Amino acid sequence: MGTIFEFDTDTALRSAGDGRYTGTLTDRWDVGDIPNGGYALAVATRALASELAHPDPLTVTGHYLRPAVHGPVVVDVETVRAGRTLTTGAACLMQDGRERLRVLATFGDLDAVRGPTHLGGVPPELPPPERCVDARGARSGAFPIPRVHRRVDMRFHPGTPGWAHGTPSGTPELTAWLRLADGRPVDVLALPLLVDCFPPPIFELGVIGWIPTIELTVHVRARPAPDWLRCAVRTRFVQDGLLDEEIEIWDAADRLVALGRQLAMVPPGIGDDGPAADDGPATR
Amino acid sequence: MGTIFEFDTDTALRSAGDGRYTGTLTDRWDVGDIPNGGYALAVATRALASELAHPDPLTVTGHYLRPAVHGPVVVDVETVRAGRTLTTGAACLMQDGRERLRVLATFGDLDAVRGPTHLGGVPPELPPPERCVDARGARSGAFPIPRVHRRVDMRFHPGTPGWAHGTPSGTPELTAWLRLADGRPVDVLALPLLVDCFPPPIFELGVIGWIPTIELTVHVRARPAPDWLRCAVRTRFVQDGLLDEEIEIWDAADRLVALGRQLAMVPPGIGDDGPAADDGPATR
């Protein structure tokens, strides 16, 4: 092959021994001026994958301590427990001597899992990608396109998102096709990035602005087939400004490849006065 | 007041300084012969609450490394980041020198949260508790009642659970009233216990046996009103033996007080042959 993909270049790490990995967070995965939280999580997950004996991040939780910045990054990995079928590890992602992200994860081998299957849901129904709405064109002129949306190829269901046209739908949900823009196949290490690359569904309630993630957990449930993914993102419960955000990612073989949930918080001053579609930049 | 409640006695911890707490895991919260995973999580959460500056565990993730045992327990708490509105901490729960549970949590102050509310769901509909099915009587003679079900007062929707009558419903869901049996009001520290005290919904698929939790995350979304809680538990996706288990807990004021999700795994030999309601003890 020989192709060098953006995701691999921008999450590359060098081992410094004793579980320490070093790399660089680039400015190619920004939302606003800040590296996307999923990008930081993917870098930490790659460090864990390098250190731990099992290949697949079955469950990864990140707690966001401070925004990441562009530049050098150090990830320290602790092997918490190495077992026969599962390995648990913790990672601290640091920049400029300050911890930005703490991660706890359990890895396993998705080739080795066996057992019953019973799916209480199906992939979202979407017209073909070429008839859907390219995320890079879905924003009004007032909203800058996040740089991370040039790295992913995201195609919203026709007619959505409502907020991009100044008419939030009132239902905090969206569905979309998704792949990496440069053709890199999505693997288990890219999924922690993809679960956090969507505009927040709460935008459809007219609550538009930076919605910081407190914690994000992703379950990687299968290795994705190399083709378009289908995603369903929704917020179920907004209560006093605290909210969940859920995502399902399905592959072309109709397998659930990732299930994610995050806890986020509406900052003071956003959404206090009901619908406010023009209340700020469409960034998070 | 002066009443000494079981939950408080059995999660009591003494500070040994430097973030270390010591206590004892009793045999009163067992499932089978093993302390319930939620009980261990509640002990770790209490240690975090003792050490961190903020009162409410907004999001708590536990990775289960080894089963807990009865007897002395040591919890070491690390303050990861203490901020103005949020504090993040990690906890290691150890017994006999071996780590059993690793926890990562972010605390805040639920009295201080402000912002929009939009609930995309409602509490489960249940007849009054006295017309529902007491969990202590819902099992056939072959299934021992877990000891933890004497500590909680759990009342299933009439006619459920199907598996207890040898007729799994085929739908991995259940709804129930819930409170602590000795009348202790449920507070934010008891919620990490309660999110893990239900029989696995997958029993309704005839997949019955010990379903070990790999990871459990709970978002505490409000402080519960002092009355019966209503719970909805379901498994959405079982795929090759990996499964999620979700729980919503609502209080008497119709507020969502906890949202939980865990990743669990069907061990080899259980559920391989389809419905198998008599395939083992109703424990997890």
Side-chain angles (χ1 to χ4, degrees):
Chain A
M1 306 288 284
T3 308
I4 297 179
F5 294 112
E6 296 167 330
F7 178 79
D8 296 304
T9 302
D10 293 356
T11 61
L13 294 168
R14 289 168 295 283
S15 171
D18 289 331
R20 172 162 288 192
Y21 293 82
T22 61
T24 303
L25 296 193
T26 74
D27 63 2
R28 295 203 282 188
W29 309 81
D30 284 7
V31 179
D33 297 323
I34 296 174
N36 171 258
Y39 173 40
L41 191 65
V43 169
T45 303
R46 185 176 284 273
L48 284 155
S50 300
E51 188 71 14
L52 307 181
H54 287 97
D56 300 311
L58 301 186
T59 169
V60 180
T61 291
H63 285 243
Y64 290 87
L65 310 172
R66 299 178 177 88
V69 295
H70 308 131
V73 63
V74 175
V75 184
D76 280 331
V77 175
E78 172 198 0
T79 301
V80 174
R81 186 189 179 209
R84 189 172 52 84
T85 57
L86 299 172
T87 300
T88 299
C92 307
L93 185 149
M94 289 167 292
Q95 295 183 290
D96 302 326
R98 305 177 87 189
E99 188 171 354
R100 312 278 166 166
L101 171 64
R102 175 68 63 97
V103 176
L104 186 56
T106 293
F107 280 60
D109 183 350
L110 287 168
D111 279 345
V113 296
R114 296 283 184 281
T117 292
H118 176 96
L119 300 181
V122 295
E125 286 192 35
L126 288 159
E130 59 274 16
R131 289 176 41 209
C132 288
V133 178
D134 191 316
R136 291 166 291 187
R139 288 151 193 276
S140 74
F143 296 165
I145 297 167
R147 297 199 74 184
V148 68
H149 282 183
R150 299 192 182 282
R151 304 280 91 70
V152 297
D153 187 352
M154 184 183 289
R155 310 284 181 91
F156 296 116
H157 195 283
T160 70
W163 55 263
H165 306 99
T167 53
S169 71
T171 302
E173 300 178 1
L174 60 89
T175 56
W177 296 97
L178 187 67
R179 61 182 180 184
L180 287 165
D182 66 358
R184 181 193 187 278
V186 173
D187 61 9
V188 296
L189 295 181
L191 288 169
L193 164 74
L194 297 183
V195 294
D196 194 40
C197 72
F198 282 84
I202 196 175
F203 283 11
E204 293 291 16
L205 298 179
V207 178
I208 297 180
W210 180 279
I211 309 292
T213 301
I214 298 171
E215 170 263 321
L216 186 162
T217 294
V218 53
H219 297 172
V220 173
R221 301 289 297 270
R223 295 192 188 150
D227 197 346
W228 281 102
L229 301 167
R230 284 160 293 171
C231 307
V233 189
R234 65 174 179 167
T235 285
R236 294 186 65 207
F237 302 110
V238 187
Q239 194 168 257
D240 301 332
L242 282 172
L243 61 135
D244 52 272
E245 189 178 313
E246 298 198 338
I247 183 166
E248 295 170 22
I249 304 183
W250 297 80
D251 75 2
D254 286 355
R255 286 173 59 84
L256 179 73
V257 296
L259 193 61
R261 179 184 280 166
Q262 62 175 268
L263 179 69
M265 188 182 275
V266 179
I270 296 177
D272 295 345
D273 307 314
D278 298 311
D279 202 24
T283 58
R284 55 169 308 194
Chain B
M1 308 285 283
T3 308
I4 298 178
F5 294 112
E6 296 166 331
F7 178 79
D8 296 304
T9 302
D10 293 357
T11 61
L13 294 168
R14 287 168 297 283
S15 171
D18 289 330
R20 172 161 287 191
Y21 293 83
T22 62
T24 303
L25 296 192
T26 74
D27 63 2
R28 295 204 282 189
W29 309 82
D30 282 9
V31 178
D33 297 323
I34 295 174
N36 170 257
Y39 173 39
L41 191 65
V43 169
T45 303
R46 186 176 282 275
L48 284 155
S50 300
E51 188 71 15
L52 307 182
H54 287 98
D56 300 311
L58 301 187
T59 170
V60 180
T61 291
H63 285 241
Y64 291 88
L65 310 172
R66 298 177 178 89
V69 295
H70 308 130
V73 64
V74 174
V75 185
D76 280 330
V77 175
E78 172 198 1
T79 302
V80 174
R81 186 188 180 209
R84 190 172 52 85
T85 57
L86 300 172
T87 301
T88 298
C92 308
L93 186 149
M94 288 168 293
Q95 295 183 290
D96 301 327
R98 306 177 86 189
E99 188 171 354
R100 312 279 167 165
L101 171 65
R102 176 68 63 96
V103 177
L104 187 56
T106 293
F107 280 61
D109 184 350
L110 287 168
D111 278 346
V113 295
R114 297 281 184 282
T117 292
H118 176 95
L119 300 181
V122 295
E125 284 193 35
L126 289 159
E130 59 274 15
R131 290 176 42 211
C132 289
V133 178
D134 191 315
R136 290 165 294 186
R139 287 150 194 278
S140 75
F143 295 164
I145 298 167
R147 297 199 73 185
V148 67
H149 281 183
R150 300 192 182 280
R151 304 280 91 70
V152 298
D153 188 352
M154 184 184 290
R155 310 285 181 92
F156 296 115
H157 195 284
T160 69
W163 55 263
H165 306 98
T167 53
S169 71
T171 302
E173 300 180 359
L174 60 89
T175 57
W177 295 96
L178 188 67
R179 63 182 178 183
L180 287 165
D182 66 359
R184 182 192 186 279
V186 173
D187 60 10
V188 296
L189 295 182
L191 288 169
L193 166 73
L194 297 183
V195 294
D196 193 40
C197 70
F198 282 84
I202 196 176
F203 284 11
E204 293 291 16
L205 298 179
V207 178
I208 298 182
W210 180 279
I211 309 292
T213 301
I214 298 171
E215 171 264 320
L216 186 161
T217 295
V218 53
H219 297 172
V220 173
R221 300 290 297 269
R223 294 191 188 151
D227 199 345
W228 281 102
L229 301 167
R230 284 159 294 171
C231 306
V233 189
R234 66 174 178 167
T235 286
R236 293 186 68 208
F237 302 109
V238 187
Q239 195 169 257
D240 300 333
L242 283 172
L243 61 135
D244 52 273
E245 188 178 314
E246 298 198 339
I247 183 166
E248 297 170 20
I249 304 182
W250 296 81
D251 75 3
D254 286 354
R255 285 172 61 84
L256 179 74
V257 298
L259 193 62
R261 179 182 282 164
Q262 61 175 269
L263 179 69
M265 188 182 275
V266 179
I270 296 177
D272 294 345
D273 307 313
D278 297 311
D279 202 26
T283 58
R284 55 169 307 193

